[in-house]
Amino acid sequence: MTIEFQERAIDRHFAAFIGKQTSGEVNEILRLVVSLASSAIGRGNLCLNLADIAGQTVNLNGRELLLPRFDALLELVRSMSVVTGPGKHHRPLVLDAAGRLYLYRYWRYEHDLAMTILEKAAAVQEVFDEIKLQDAIERLFPDSADHRQKEAATVALRRQFCVISGGPGTGKTSTVVRILALLLEQEGGTKQRIAMAAPTGKAAARLKRSVNDIRQTLNCSDEVKLAIPDNVVTIQRLLGSISGSTRFRHSARNPLPYDTIIIDEASMVALPLMSALVATLKPTARLILLGDRDQLASVEAGAVLGDICSAGEESPASPLSTSLVVLEKNYRFQPGSGIAEISRAVNAGQEMEALELLKAKTLSIIWQKMPAPENLRTALASAVAEGYQGYLEAASPAEALERFDRFRILCALRDGPYGVSGLNNVIEKILARQELIAPSSLFYPKRPVLITVNDYSMRLFNGDTGILFPDPDNGGLLRVFFPNPEGGVRSIPPERLPAHETAYAMTIHKSQGSEFDRVLMLLPQVDSDLLTRELIYTGMTRAKKNVELWANKEVFFSAVRRKTERNSGLKDALRWK
């Protein structure tokens, strides 16, 4: 087997740097291994597993290099002066007993996160009035409620660390709002300092709206309802992001002042950010993670939530096993719902069952064979007009934003005819031909935009969606309108937009944290390692009512069979020793 290795400039420079530190002891094989270790981070891994490359032939820039077998490769790497064992010395590379080769920084992230999580999972919180607590749980979680939600509440109050996982519609947010009410009802509870954060501005705004809606329905005093915080920020803002830097104001030396911290959409949080977060916690602080373990992992390195959940389930002797609660009852999809059933089949890697469900053409899920690129514009015309005409005919910015979120086209890739860039161009042409838009310039009325960076000065964040619309309060001047967390809209001049892109179609990765009534998901005609069951699952579960999938059977089968695997030692580090 030959491994095709596309070496990036950063990998090449890192290998050259390591070579300079070793007085010429790095030969051609070792230089390749170092470059592969750097490349692993770019592919979302935390380390390079030497067992995966041992004895393999690597094609590097047209040259084939045969790597030694595992034991010999292990000894060769271990002999380098820049390599050390875990926790022994501060050197650029760390090699653990399992043959995982880390860049030191990522080994430190992993080690520190694991140690803090294990400490907090083992720590029992202060003793509550048990009778009062149980009465409150029964009141806030009535008998008809999911018993897992009650279990989550008990765990969250009694432990310093808690993970609440579950698919869309299983009540994660509803559960955590009730947990906050329980905390506040305890003696001295109103003195609790509570923070809520999410990985993106869009996810933070959505959590804020949900908290506001849910707390009004609680069976508790108005005083407690008012005490439940409704301010939700991005994790970066919570930590005190420093402009132009990757550092934060808060750290182990300057910890966050909060007693309880809740992180939503935790599956999207990469290892470096999660490590930075836990380092800022006070020794007595409670950390609650909410997320869907089956969703896509973060774009950056690591699959932190998945590793934590796996470690909790696979190591029953660990305190982590009693800190994890998985919600299963679905309140959005009825039993037998097409979306619920196909999501289950995709998660289980059952491609034939998933395809049969798609071909059944129920009201909620539809499958269609992917047309050739030259036929895509014609094939999409009807779906695009039906999906977007409503928002394009809206009479106000608020109405346009609300209608736009009823339908979205999701892509697996960014580039190519079936990627975001190509499809947005095709959709613009379809809508222009039907005279629904007039894209005579970059900024035209009704153009939807997706923010791609965090801009704290403008209060706009990666993933925020806005629409260009004539301002009814300013003589019809064209401005970009965004929803605000309070439920209204706000606007800015188009020329002040931070980095952005057209948003008729968006990647499935960018759709995380969003919900739409209807989703049209397109897979490319050619298979790719980027197509995985987690990607399919995430795309399908963005829909609340209907999913339509355009794909070739072979590509769909391959994607459902392919499970995301990221090299990491976090799961092992989280096992109780």
Side-chain angles (χ1 to χ4, degrees), residues 342-397:
I342 194 169
S343 298
R344 178 195 55 75
V346 168
N347 259 340
Q350 298 170 341
E351 68 273 12
M352 286 298 297
E353 181 182 351
L355 185 65
E356 289 305 313
L357 287 166
L358 281 167
K359 286 184 173 181
K361 293 189 181 297
T362 66
L363 292 177
S364 59
I365 50 175
I366 298 174
W367 173 76
Q368 176 177 311
K369 186 176 180 181
M370 176 60 72
E374 61 271 19
N375 299 325
L376 194 55
R377 180 170 161 183
T378 301
L380 276 172
S382 176
V384 166
E386 180 185 353
Y388 290 131
Q389 186 169 354
Y391 104 84
L392 291 168
E393 294 176 346
S396 70

Side-chain angles (χ1 to χ4, degrees), residues 262-440:
I262 295 164
I263 303 297
D264 195 19
E265 298 289 353
S267 65
M268 298 170 64
V269 185
L271 176 71
L273 186 58
M274 189 68 82
S275 180
L277 170 69
V278 300
T280 68
L281 301 179
K282 297 190 300 184
T284 57
R286 176 188 286 106
L287 176 63
I288 302 173
L289 302 182
L290 307 177
D292 184 349
R293 60 178 297 174
D294 296 317
Q295 268 191 207
L296 282 166
S298 61
V299 176
E300 299 174 63
V304 176
L305 184 67
D307 283 345
I308 291 172
C309 291
S310 295
E313 289 182 337
E314 297 172 13
S315 183
S318 168
L320 198 58
S321 64
T322 57
S323 297
L324 167 66
V325 181
V326 180
L327 304 181
E328 296 177 340
K329 183 176 180 180
N330 201 298
Y331 295 87
R332 179 186 301 172
F333 305 123
Q334 296 300 316
S337 154
I339 296 175
E341 288 299 307
I342 194 169
S343 298
R344 178 195 55 75
V346 168
N347 259 340
Q350 298 170 341
E351 68 273 12
M352 286 298 297
E353 181 182 351
L355 185 65
E356 289 305 313
L357 287 166
L358 281 167
K359 286 184 173 181
K361 293 189 181 297
T362 66
L363 292 177
S364 59
I365 50 175
I366 298 174
W367 173 76
Q368 176 177 311
K369 186 176 180 181
M370 176 60 72
E374 61 271 19
N375 299 325
L376 194 55
R377 180 170 161 183
T378 301
L380 276 172
S382 176
V384 166
E386 180 185 353
Y388 290 131
Q389 186 169 354
Y391 104 84
L392 291 168
E393 294 176 346
S396 70
E399 186 179 34
L401 286 164
E402 185 274 326
R403 290 184 178 186
F404 186 63
D405 271 352
R406 295 179 185 178
F407 172 75
R408 198 60 46 86
I409 294 177
L410 301 182
C411 309
L413 308 175
R414 285 202 56 80
D415 301 317
Y418 304 103
V420 166
S421 54
L423 276 169
N424 275 313
N425 185 46
V426 168
I427 294 167
E428 278 189 332
K429 290 177 178 177
I430 291 171
L431 296 175
R433 186 170 185 176
Q434 299 187 26
E435 298 183 348
L436 291 170
I437 61 172
S440 56

Side-chain angles (χ1 to χ4, degrees), residues 366-560:
I366 298 174
W367 173 76
Q368 176 177 311
K369 186 176 180 181
M370 176 60 72
E374 61 271 19
N375 299 325
L376 194 55
R377 180 170 161 183
T378 301
L380 276 172
S382 176
V384 166
E386 180 185 353
Y388 290 131
Q389 186 169 354
Y391 104 84
L392 291 168
E393 294 176 346
S396 70
E399 186 179 34
L401 286 164
E402 185 274 326
R403 290 184 178 186
F404 186 63
D405 271 352
R406 295 179 185 178
F407 172 75
R408 198 60 46 86
I409 294 177
L410 301 182
C411 309
L413 308 175
R414 285 202 56 80
D415 301 317
Y418 304 103
V420 166
S421 54
L423 276 169
N424 275 313
N425 185 46
V426 168
I427 294 167
E428 278 189 332
K429 290 177 178 177
I430 291 171
L431 296 175
R433 186 170 185 176
Q434 299 187 26
E435 298 183 348
L436 291 170
I437 61 172
S440 56
S441 64
L442 178 63
F443 297 126
Y444 60 86
K446 309 295 178 71
R447 179 194 172 205
V449 296
L450 180 74
I451 303 301
T452 58
V453 297
N454 291 332
D455 188 326
Y456 292 97
S457 65
M458 298 301 297
R459 291 185 295 126
L460 290 173
F461 304 97
N462 187 6
D464 285 353
T465 303
I467 294 175
L468 280 93
F469 205 96
D471 188 349
D473 298 324
N474 198 10
L477 184 68
L478 195 63
R479 292 177 69 89
V480 191
F481 287 83
F482 293 89
N484 66 32
E486 288 70 36
V489 297
R490 66 185 185 92
S491 67
I492 65 169
E495 59 271 15
R496 296 195 65 191
L497 274 176
H500 62 280
E501 59 191 25
T502 303
Y504 296 110
M506 64 193 303
T507 63
I508 296 171
H509 270 284
K510 287 285 187 182
S511 75
Q512 286 182 273
S514 298
E515 292 178 347
F516 313 103
D517 288 347
R518 297 168 50 224
V519 160
L520 171 57
M521 184 163 61
L522 281 72
L523 300 186
Q525 282 193 317
V526 179
D527 190 25
S528 163
D529 287 344
L530 297 174
L531 305 181
T532 64
R533 70 179 64 163
E534 291 85 359
L535 187 86
I536 306 296
Y537 169 85
T538 301
M540 288 184 165
T541 55
R542 297 313 89 204
K544 293 187 284 186
K545 297 179 180 178
N546 304 93
V547 171
E548 187 168 349
L549 175 66
W550 291 15
N552 293 335
K553 182 176 71 173
E554 295 76 14
V555 171
F556 177 72
F557 277 8
S558 181
V560 174

